[in-house]
Amino acid sequence: MKNLRCLIVDDEPVARKIIREFVEKTSFLTLCGQFEDAITADAFLKQNQADLMFVDIEMPEVSGLEFVKLLPVKPMVIITTAFPEYALEGYELDIIDYLLKPIAYNRFVKAVQKAKEYHDLKDMASPNLLSSYIFVRCERRIEKVELNEIFYIESVGNYINIYLEDRKLSAYLTMRSLESQLPLNEFVKIHQSFLVSFSKISSIEGNHVKINNKLLPISRNYRDVVMNLVEQRLLKR
């Protein structure tokens, strides 16, 4: 089973840091973004896929509960808050669990394990769409594309460009829909407009990755995710 893509939405920097460290310690979780308010998190979700969100309740402008209510299609949700009086309202929104701050790691693990079991059951009930290749509708033809031939994917308006070693394919697709059908551990979002094959990264230079002699930007929202993946494979003394 693939890792759960996680999103943190909390206006407290210390709270975000604690949850981020818990996510990094948990083998079946991968952080795909962290935000200090619901508005920026909502903008991210319109372009990206997430399986699980950790959402604080007391936030400026839009509360965590209002945010969850307004999402047309929502990931699994774990509420994180210092206020136990919101528990009933939270459970009415079909949340996975309700964590009271300060959050202990063993309690965190219990909550995310519940999310994983729910997600795995849904996966078992659905046909497995992942394979070593995909078919892409391009203009008047349908092309077979081996996943290991993809260097990176660029979002341009209502289209995506898939860059292979010596050619480019254009398709009428959204980045979010394509991302949800690709293996999480093989492709990583580095920018709202770029999804890259992690194994094809030849170097990281400042705020850019180099792939096939092309420099692509790493945005601030995705830098932690990219560097966390690099750290997992970085040789250390």
Side-chain angles (χ1 to χ4, degrees):
M1 297 288 183
K2 66 180 183 179
N3 282 16
L4 298 182
R5 310 170 199 232
C6 300
L7 205 63
I8 301 169
V9 188
D10 198 312
D11 63 328
E12 300 174 21
V14 174
R16 289 198 305 273
K17 179 176 182 292
I18 290 170
I19 297 173
R20 183 180 73 241
E21 289 173 351
F22 285 177
V23 168
E24 291 168 356
K25 285 170 62 175
T26 309
S27 62
F28 57 85
L29 302 180
T30 297
L31 185 65
C32 66
Q34 51 182 330
F35 302 94
E36 62 183 17
D37 59 72
I39 295 171
T40 51
D42 182 56
F44 177 88
L45 283 171
K46 286 176 179 173
Q47 298 291 330
N48 302 276
Q49 185 83 9
D51 301 308
L52 176 63
M53 289 196 306
F54 300 94
V55 181
D56 184 29
I57 290 180
E58 295 283 343
M59 292 190 292
E61 298 187 62
V62 179
S63 76
L65 292 177
E66 290 171 334
F67 171 51
V68 173
K69 286 177 187 176
L70 292 171
L71 285 174
V73 179
K74 63 175 180 282
M76 296 179 292
V77 175
I78 293 176
I79 295 293
T80 61
T81 182
F83 303 97
E85 60 266 29
Y86 292 112
L88 180 59
E89 188 177 355
Y91 282 116
E92 287 174 350
L93 293 173
D94 294 327
I95 65 165
I96 293 293
D97 211 337
Y98 192 99
L99 297 178
L100 282 176
K101 299 175 181 177
I103 303 167
Y105 181 61
N106 62 343
R107 181 65 183 86
F108 174 89
V109 169
K110 185 177 178 181
V112 297
Q113 187 65 43
K114 192 187 300 184
K116 182 178 184 298
E117 289 169 2
Y118 177 78
H119 186 267
D120 289 350
L121 282 172
K122 283 178 61 181
D123 267 5
M124 289 171 63
S126 304
N128 183 11
L129 299 179
L130 296 180
S131 183
S132 62
Y133 58 87
I134 54 176
F135 284 98
V136 181
R137 189 183 299 277
C138 307
E139 298 175 355
R140 298 182 180 178
R141 67 189 189 281
I142 296 175
E143 290 221 17
K144 179 182 178 182
V145 179
E146 297 286 345
L147 295 182
N148 61 12
E149 293 181 355
I150 299 174
F151 279 77
Y152 64 94
I153 299 161
E154 179 185 21
S155 173
V156 183
N158 293 322
Y159 287 80
I160 59 162
N161 293 326
I162 301 174
Y163 290 86
L164 310 178
E165 184 172 15
D166 54 1
R167 62 193 175 113
K168 176 183 77 174
L169 302 176
S170 294
Y172 186 65
L173 287 170
T174 65
M175 182 70 87
R176 184 175 182 179
S177 66
L178 178 62
E179 184 184 4
S180 69
Q181 299 176 70
L182 293 175
L184 173 64
N185 294 330
E186 295 179 29
F187 292 86
V188 60
K189 198 84 170 283
I190 62 167
H191 186 280
Q192 184 170 326
S193 299
F194 291 103
L195 182 69
V196 306
S197 171
F198 193 68
S199 66
K200 295 292 195 296
I201 296 176
S202 56
S203 64
I204 298 176
E205 304 175 15
N207 290 322
H208 292 79
V209 298
K210 191 172 186 179
I211 295 183
N212 202 24
N213 292 318
K214 174 86 172 178
L215 284 176
L216 303 175
I218 306 172
S219 74
R220 185 178 63 179
N221 286 341
Y222 297 97
R223 183 168 180 82
D224 284 351
V225 177
V226 175
M227 296 313 296
N228 284 341
L229 290 172
V230 172
E231 279 290 329
Q232 292 173 20
R233 304 187 182 209
L234 187 64
L235 293 180
K236 300 178 177 67
R237 292 186 57 143

Short mmCIF file of all heavy atoms in Angstrom, two decimals, residues 8 13-26 31 34 54 108 224 228:
data_model
loop_
_atom_site.label_atom_id
_atom_site.label_comp_id
_atom_site.label_asym_id
_atom_site.label_seq_id
_atom_site.Cartn_x
_atom_site.Cartn_y
_atom_site.Cartn_z
N ILE A 8 -0.99 19.61 6.77
CA ILE A 8 -1.14 20.21 8.10
C ILE A 8 -1.71 21.61 7.93
O ILE A 8 -1.17 22.41 7.16
CB ILE A 8 0.22 20.29 8.82
CG1 ILE A 8 0.83 18.90 8.98
CG2 ILE A 8 0.06 20.97 10.19
CD1 ILE A 8 2.29 18.92 9.44
N PRO A 13 2.88 28.01 14.65
CA PRO A 13 4.13 27.43 14.13
C PRO A 13 4.62 26.23 14.95
O PRO A 13 5.08 25.24 14.38
CB PRO A 13 5.12 28.59 14.19
CG PRO A 13 4.27 29.82 14.16
CD PRO A 13 3.01 29.47 14.89
N VAL A 14 4.53 26.33 16.27
CA VAL A 14 5.01 25.23 17.12
C VAL A 14 4.17 23.97 16.90
O VAL A 14 4.71 22.86 16.81
CB VAL A 14 4.98 25.64 18.61
CG1 VAL A 14 5.33 24.44 19.50
CG2 VAL A 14 5.97 26.77 18.88
N ALA A 15 2.86 24.15 16.78
CA ALA A 15 1.97 23.01 16.54
C ALA A 15 2.27 22.36 15.20
O ALA A 15 2.30 21.12 15.09
CB ALA A 15 0.52 23.46 16.61
N ARG A 16 2.50 23.18 14.17
CA ARG A 16 2.84 22.64 12.85
C ARG A 16 4.15 21.84 12.93
O ARG A 16 4.27 20.77 12.32
CB ARG A 16 2.97 23.76 11.81
CG ARG A 16 1.66 24.40 11.43
CD ARG A 16 1.78 25.17 10.12
NE ARG A 16 2.84 26.16 10.11
CZ ARG A 16 2.70 27.42 10.54
NH1 ARG A 16 1.54 27.81 11.04
NH2 ARG A 16 3.71 28.26 10.49
N LYS A 17 5.11 22.37 13.66
CA LYS A 17 6.41 21.70 13.79
C LYS A 17 6.27 20.34 14.46
O LYS A 17 6.86 19.35 14.01
CB LYS A 17 7.37 22.59 14.58
CG LYS A 17 8.77 22.00 14.80
CD LYS A 17 9.66 23.01 15.52
CE LYS A 17 11.08 22.46 15.71
NZ LYS A 17 11.13 21.32 16.65
N ILE A 18 5.48 20.27 15.53
CA ILE A 18 5.30 19.01 16.25
C ILE A 18 4.64 17.97 15.36
O ILE A 18 5.10 16.82 15.27
CB ILE A 18 4.47 19.23 17.53
CG1 ILE A 18 5.29 20.03 18.56
CG2 ILE A 18 4.02 17.90 18.13
CD1 ILE A 18 4.49 20.52 19.74
N ILE A 19 3.58 18.36 14.66
CA ILE A 19 2.88 17.40 13.80
C ILE A 19 3.78 16.98 12.64
O ILE A 19 3.80 15.81 12.24
CB ILE A 19 1.55 17.98 13.30
CG1 ILE A 19 0.61 18.24 14.50
CG2 ILE A 19 0.87 17.02 12.32
CD1 ILE A 19 -0.66 18.97 14.14
N ARG A 20 4.53 17.94 12.09
CA ARG A 20 5.45 17.60 10.99
C ARG A 20 6.47 16.56 11.46
O ARG A 20 6.76 15.59 10.74
CB ARG A 20 6.17 18.85 10.51
CG ARG A 20 7.09 18.57 9.30
CD ARG A 20 7.81 19.82 8.84
NE ARG A 20 8.87 20.20 9.77
CZ ARG A 20 8.92 21.35 10.42
NH1 ARG A 20 7.97 22.25 10.27
NH2 ARG A 20 9.92 21.62 11.23
N GLU A 21 7.01 16.73 12.65
CA GLU A 21 7.99 15.77 13.18
C GLU A 21 7.34 14.41 13.41
O GLU A 21 7.96 13.37 13.16
CB GLU A 21 8.60 16.31 14.48
CG GLU A 21 9.53 17.49 14.25
CD GLU A 21 10.00 18.14 15.54
OE1 GLU A 21 9.48 17.78 16.63
OE2 GLU A 21 10.89 19.02 15.48
N PHE A 22 6.09 14.41 13.88
CA PHE A 22 5.37 13.13 14.06
C PHE A 22 5.16 12.44 12.72
O PHE A 22 5.33 11.21 12.61
CB PHE A 22 4.02 13.38 14.73
CG PHE A 22 4.09 13.68 16.21
CD1 PHE A 22 2.93 14.00 16.92
CD2 PHE A 22 5.29 13.65 16.90
CE1 PHE A 22 2.98 14.26 18.28
CE2 PHE A 22 5.36 13.92 18.27
CZ PHE A 22 4.19 14.23 18.96
N VAL A 23 4.78 13.21 11.70
CA VAL A 23 4.58 12.63 10.36
C VAL A 23 5.89 12.02 9.85
O VAL A 23 5.90 10.90 9.31
CB VAL A 23 4.08 13.72 9.38
CG1 VAL A 23 4.15 13.22 7.93
CG2 VAL A 23 2.65 14.13 9.72
N GLU A 24 7.00 12.73 10.03
CA GLU A 24 8.29 12.25 9.55
C GLU A 24 8.74 10.98 10.26
O GLU A 24 9.47 10.17 9.70
CB GLU A 24 9.35 13.35 9.70
CG GLU A 24 9.13 14.52 8.77
CD GLU A 24 9.98 15.74 9.11
OE1 GLU A 24 10.70 15.69 10.15
OE2 GLU A 24 9.93 16.74 8.37
N LYS A 25 8.29 10.79 11.51
CA LYS A 25 8.64 9.59 12.28
C LYS A 25 7.79 8.38 11.92
O LYS A 25 8.10 7.27 12.32
CB LYS A 25 8.47 9.87 13.79
CG LYS A 25 9.54 10.73 14.40
CD LYS A 25 9.17 11.15 15.82
CE LYS A 25 9.01 9.97 16.77
NZ LYS A 25 8.78 10.41 18.16
N THR A 26 6.71 8.60 11.17
CA THR A 26 5.74 7.53 10.91
C THR A 26 5.92 7.03 9.48
O THR A 26 5.74 7.77 8.51
CB THR A 26 4.30 8.07 11.12
OG1 THR A 26 4.23 8.69 12.41
CG2 THR A 26 3.30 6.94 11.05
N LEU A 31 4.51 13.91 4.11
CA LEU A 31 3.99 15.28 4.17
C LEU A 31 3.97 15.89 2.77
O LEU A 31 4.97 15.88 2.06
CB LEU A 31 4.88 16.14 5.08
CG LEU A 31 4.41 17.57 5.34
CD1 LEU A 31 3.10 17.59 6.10
CD2 LEU A 31 5.48 18.35 6.10
N GLN A 34 2.06 22.16 4.31
CA GLN A 34 1.66 22.67 5.61
C GLN A 34 1.30 24.15 5.46
O GLN A 34 2.01 24.90 4.77
CB GLN A 34 2.75 22.48 6.65
CG GLN A 34 4.12 22.97 6.26
CD GLN A 34 5.15 22.70 7.34
OE1 GLN A 34 4.84 22.66 8.54
NE2 GLN A 34 6.38 22.49 6.95
N PHE A 54 -4.50 17.18 8.94
CA PHE A 54 -4.52 17.52 10.36
C PHE A 54 -4.95 18.98 10.45
O PHE A 54 -4.23 19.87 9.98
CB PHE A 54 -3.14 17.33 10.98
CG PHE A 54 -2.62 15.93 10.88
CD1 PHE A 54 -1.80 15.55 9.83
CD2 PHE A 54 -2.97 14.98 11.83
CE1 PHE A 54 -1.33 14.25 9.72
CE2 PHE A 54 -2.50 13.67 11.73
CZ PHE A 54 -1.68 13.31 10.67
N PHE A 108 -1.05 10.16 18.69
CA PHE A 108 -0.98 10.49 17.26
C PHE A 108 -0.97 9.21 16.43
O PHE A 108 -1.71 9.09 15.44
CB PHE A 108 0.27 11.33 17.00
CG PHE A 108 0.54 11.63 15.55
CD1 PHE A 108 0.01 12.74 14.93
CD2 PHE A 108 1.36 10.78 14.80
CE1 PHE A 108 0.26 13.01 13.60
CE2 PHE A 108 1.63 11.04 13.46
CZ PHE A 108 1.08 12.16 12.86
N ASP A 224 10.04 21.72 1.87
CA ASP A 224 10.20 20.78 2.98
C ASP A 224 9.94 19.35 2.54
O ASP A 224 10.65 18.42 2.96
CB ASP A 224 9.25 21.14 4.13
CG ASP A 224 9.72 22.34 4.93
OD1 ASP A 224 10.87 22.78 4.71
OD2 ASP A 224 8.94 22.86 5.74
N ASN A 228 12.80 16.54 2.66
CA ASN A 228 12.57 15.37 3.51
C ASN A 228 12.85 14.08 2.74
O ASN A 228 13.45 13.13 3.27
CB ASN A 228 11.12 15.35 4.01
CG ASN A 228 10.88 16.34 5.13
OD1 ASN A 228 11.83 16.80 5.77
ND2 ASN A 228 9.64 16.69 5.36
#
